[in-house]
């Protein structure tokens, strides 16, 4: 069973901005990479079908598949690069409190993907209210 990560998408207010970032990276001949200081100890489980779930404005709204996890040592400091698939997949909104760094995210806790026509264009505030009411 794959393991997932959840991370805050700092500086992004809408899923479209994250998608635009990925397109810009591809335009420069690069793939989307997320940099972190700590390397996940369970990296092997992440690349076996795991995804990075993005928290945007306090709500998990989308995910990207994790392709690989690399650690680099430079000048006594280590850093981690998480390479992501280009596709940004919308998910059912799930509120998430602020935290630093990333957290492991078990499969039993992940929100379902939104297929086309599943309210993927629903305004964020409406989606939050529906989740708060338990209607979604």
């Amino acid at each position: 069973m794959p393991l997932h990560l959840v991370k805050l998408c700092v500086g992004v207010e809408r899923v479209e901005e994250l998608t635009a970032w990925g397109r810009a990276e591809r335009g420069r001949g690069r793939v989307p990479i997320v940099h972190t200081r700590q390397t996940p100890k369970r990296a092997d489980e992440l690349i076996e079908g795991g995804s990075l779930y993005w928290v945007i404005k306090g709500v998990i709204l989308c995910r990207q598949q994790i392709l690989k996890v690399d650690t680099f040592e430079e000048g006594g400091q280590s850093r981690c690069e998480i390479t992501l698939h280009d596709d940004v997949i919308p998910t059912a909104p799930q509120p998430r409190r602020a935290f630093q760094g990333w957290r492991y995210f078990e499969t039993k806790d992940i929100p379902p993907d939104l297929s086309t026509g599943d309210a993927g264009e629903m305004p964020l505030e409406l989606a939050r209210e529906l989740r708060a009411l338990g209607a979604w």
Side-chain angles (χ1 to χ4, degrees), residues 109-129:
D109 299 324
I110 63 173
D113 290 348
L114 291 178
S115 59
T116 306
D118 272 351
E121 299 300 320
M122 180 181 295
L124 181 58
E125 286 304 314
L126 178 58
R128 283 184 182 160
E129 288 182 40

Side-chain angles (χ1 to χ4, degrees), residues 90-110:
T91 64
Q94 185 181 81
R96 192 75 175 194
R97 291 183 186 257
F99 58 92
Q100 290 185 349
W102 50 261
R103 299 287 184 267
Y104 289 118
F105 207 34
E106 300 292 336
T107 300
K108 65 180 176 59
D109 299 324
I110 63 173

Side-chain angles (χ1 to χ4, degrees), residues 1 3 39-47 102 104 106:
M1 186 177 292
L3 183 66
T39 299
K41 294 184 184 343
R42 300 170 66 185
D44 290 342
E45 294 173 76
L46 294 170
I47 59 173
W102 50 261
Y104 289 118
E106 300 292 336

Side-chain angles (χ1 to χ4, degrees), residues 60-131:
I60 296 173
L61 293 176
C62 59
R63 69 179 180 90
Q64 287 179 276
Q65 183 181 2
I66 297 171
L67 300 178
K68 67 180 181 173
V69 178
D70 295 310
T71 301
F72 299 94
E73 300 283 336
E74 292 176 1
Q77 299 279 333
S78 68
R79 64 181 170 85
C80 175
E81 290 185 353
I82 301 171
T83 304
L84 304 173
H85 193 281
D86 293 337
D87 294 339
V88 176
I89 302 164
T91 64
Q94 185 181 81
R96 192 75 175 194
R97 291 183 186 257
F99 58 92
Q100 290 185 349
W102 50 261
R103 299 287 184 267
Y104 289 118
F105 207 34
E106 300 292 336
T107 300
K108 65 180 176 59
D109 299 324
I110 63 173
D113 290 348
L114 291 178
S115 59
T116 306
D118 272 351
E121 299 300 320
M122 180 181 295
L124 181 58
E125 286 304 314
L126 178 58
R128 283 184 182 160
E129 288 182 40
L130 288 173
R131 281 299 274 190

